[in-house]
Amino acid sequence: MSSGAICFANRLVIFSNNDYQNFPYSLNDSFDQFDVLRRVHSLEFSSDEAFKSKVSFDETSARPTTLTIVLHADSTLDASGIIQRIRSLAGMSAFIVLWHPEAVESPSLRIQAFINGANMVTCNENHLKDVLGTILAMQGTGQVMQAMQGTGQITCHVCGQQYMTAQDLWYHMPLFHIYHPNFQAQCQICHEHVDNMQVHVHEEHGPSGPCKEVRCGIGAAVVVHRCSDNKFLMVQEFANQGYWLPGGMMDGLQEPLTTCAVRECLEEVGMEVEVKGLLQIQHDMSAGKQGWRLVTFYAQLKEEAKPSEAKTVPDFESAGSCWVSAEELDHVPLRSETLPRKWFPLLSQQPDFVIPPLKIPDHLEHLFRDVTL
Ligand SMILES: [Zn+2]
Ligand SMILES: [Zn+2]
């Protein structure tokens, strides 16, 4: 380890109301890597002091500490109140995971959990393993990583977490603060004053260097349909913007539009899809303007893709994803109403609707001469 490197004491507390009957056994390896692990078989805290005694430990050294909390609840639990209470007692820098089978499947419970203070809602053991590994690597437990990086000088603007490197901050911001409103600040890495810290860190200080999004004015949106129960895969957007379709801008004009659609699905909802039709084209190409074009595709999961693998690890692309029915659209915030409100009911309630072919309609071809489908 490099000299002066700070090694955190990483604490993990698992609260459960059901004796771990449904906790995948393989997660124990990840849990055991924390310096201090405590399992609490109750969600009842008679007082704030009782809670604090459960999550605080006698520290023999003056090492800085981190706190990760996994709330493992079965479907009998209404998690909202308990998450809110845990967040207010544990502080902003704690990482709180809700492991809850119903919240994973329900778009409104998912959103509610984040609003109440959860950082992640999952029932996917691989996703949780990944995140716990990232947290440990960030905070000085990953000794190889620590030796390479030394100790960072960056303090998080939002929660005050200290001693981070630029790379730590890049992982930390979406994991710990995905629902935090975008904010202005002076960047501690390059010292620039920026209007949107989240976008700035994402685009300028990634592990493999700057990766500024090319804003070429042409994008794809994707209606990903699961026919078995007529649900559609939606992105849970960052900064509490509600749900929307997976989609985004082309990575420059050389990227085919369908490739863009598949890539955005992988990034935003974590699923491999097959594009099967072209539903709609919206555009504004009025003379004298930069103009924009948005193509909405119809897609289904690739055959080998498992619906249960939908993304639950927050990163700069999204807070996660969820399968949503046409009826559920009334009960969740939407980043934009137009496309889901039009296509979800039509595709799920009109079985004789024929998916339009994967082709730019003749009368719009002149708008797409510079683009490969
Ligand atoms: Zn923070
Ligand atoms: Zn910067």
Side-chain angles (χ1 to χ4, degrees):
M1 199 174 294
S2 64
S3 62
I6 287 179
C7 195
F8 280 73
N10 292 294
R11 294 171 288 163
L12 173 65
V13 185
I14 302 170
F15 289 100
S16 170
N17 70 342
N18 64 1
D19 293 334
Y20 307 97
Q21 280 156 4
N22 306 311
F23 232 145
Y25 188 73
S26 70
L27 275 166
N28 287 332
D29 285 348
S30 298
F31 296 157
D32 287 341
Q33 287 175 32
F34 281 76
D35 300 304
V36 185
L37 168 63
R38 187 168 289 185
R39 296 172 187 266
V40 182
H41 293 263
S42 161
L43 296 169
E44 303 293 322
F45 319 123
S46 49
S47 65
D48 292 358
E49 285 64 40
F51 173 84
K52 284 188 173 145
S53 76
K54 288 185 165 77
V55 301
S56 308
F57 308 100
D58 292 332
E59 286 295 328
T60 48
S61 69
R63 289 194 294 169
T65 58
T66 71
L67 175 60
T68 302
I69 293 174
V70 177
L71 180 58
H72 181 227
D74 64 26
S75 52
T76 59
L77 180 83
D78 164 19
S80 304
I82 191 94
I83 295 173
Q84 223 167 24
R85 182 131 184 255
I86 288 179
R87 172 58 74 196
S88 75
L89 291 165
M92 285 293 281
S93 62
F95 188 81
I96 301 176
V97 181
L98 176 63
W99 181 282
H100 191 295
E102 303 222 329
V104 163
E105 292 291 326
S106 154
S108 51
L109 284 180
R110 240 192 109 75
I111 290 254
Q112 213 47 52
F114 277 82
I115 290 172
N116 285 319
N119 297 105
M120 176 181 189
V121 176
T122 194
C123 267
N124 182 307
E125 61 184 287
N126 293 325
H127 294 179
L128 183 52
K129 271 186 210 170
D130 280 356
V131 165
L132 295 179
T134 304
I135 288 174
L136 290 171
M138 271 194 291
Q139 314 296 7
T141 304
Q143 295 198 1
V144 175
M145 202 159 164
Q146 188 70 18
M148 278 165 21
Q149 295 178 16
T151 293
Q153 302 296 320
I154 295 165
T155 300
C156 174
H157 282 103
V158 181
C159 71
Q161 179 71 270
Q162 293 176 293
Y163 309 116
M164 284 191 284
T165 62
Q167 181 168 320
D168 293 338
L169 185 69
W170 194 84
Y171 286 108
H172 175 89
M173 286 190 76
L175 270 184
F176 285 74
H177 308 303
I178 193 73
Y179 256 42
H180 194 79
N182 293 331
F183 63 95
Q184 300 180 352
Q186 182 178 16
C187 174
Q188 293 172 57
I189 304 165
C190 67
H191 306 292
E192 216 180 286
H193 284 274
V194 297
D195 285 340
N196 186 328
M197 254 312 267
Q198 285 93 327
V199 170
H200 173 77
V201 171
H202 178 202
E203 294 192 342
E204 298 295 337
H205 302 301
S208 42
C211 61
K212 228 178 167 61
E213 200 175 302
V214 186
R215 292 176 173 93
C216 63
I218 310 176
V222 192
V223 176
V224 184
H225 188 190
R226 182 166 75 184
C227 300
S228 60
D229 60 0
N230 267 324
K231 287 192 173 184
F232 302 87
L233 195 51
M234 295 195 88
V235 183
Q236 185 188 355
E237 302 281 0
F238 56 86
N240 196 8
Q241 298 177 91
Y243 289 97
W244 202 58
L245 302 178
M249 291 289 145
M250 277 165 47
D251 262 354
L253 285 172
Q254 65 289 348
E255 182 183 43
L257 254 177
T258 48
T259 307
C260 165
V262 170
R263 175 179 55 74
E264 289 288 348
C265 286
L266 205 54
E267 289 173 0
E268 294 188 334
V269 291
M271 304 296 297
E272 275 203 80
V273 303
E274 200 171 326
V275 177
K276 298 194 161 187
L278 193 157
L279 295 173
Q280 180 174 355
I281 291 175
Q282 295 154 287
H283 62 88
D284 180 357
M285 299 295 282
S286 331
K289 280 208 223 158
Q290 161 107 55
W292 58 267
R293 291 161 278 178
L294 178 66
V295 179
T296 302
F297 292 103
Y298 176 86
Q300 293 178 1
L301 291 189
K302 275 200 160 176
E303 243 165 56
E304 59 273 24
K306 293 196 196 102
S308 61
E309 296 289 318
K311 173 177 170 177
T312 63
V313 178
D315 61 21
F316 279 115
E317 301 292 341
S318 68
S321 59
C322 195
W323 292 93
V324 182
S325 68
E327 296 74 27
E328 284 168 327
L329 289 177
D330 289 337
H331 308 293
V332 291
L334 298 173
R335 182 173 171 183
S336 164
E337 305 256 340
T338 319
L339 293 170
R341 289 263 183 217
K342 173 175 178 182
W343 291 107
F344 291 9
L346 206 153
L347 290 161
S348 58
Q349 291 154 16
Q350 295 189 23
D352 51 351
F353 177 78
V354 179
I355 306 293
L358 197 51
K359 180 181 178 307
I360 305 279
D362 292 346
H363 69 285
L364 292 174
E365 239 175 20
H366 64 284
L367 292 175
F368 287 86
R369 294 215 174 97
D370 53 344
V371 178
T372 315
L373 192 62

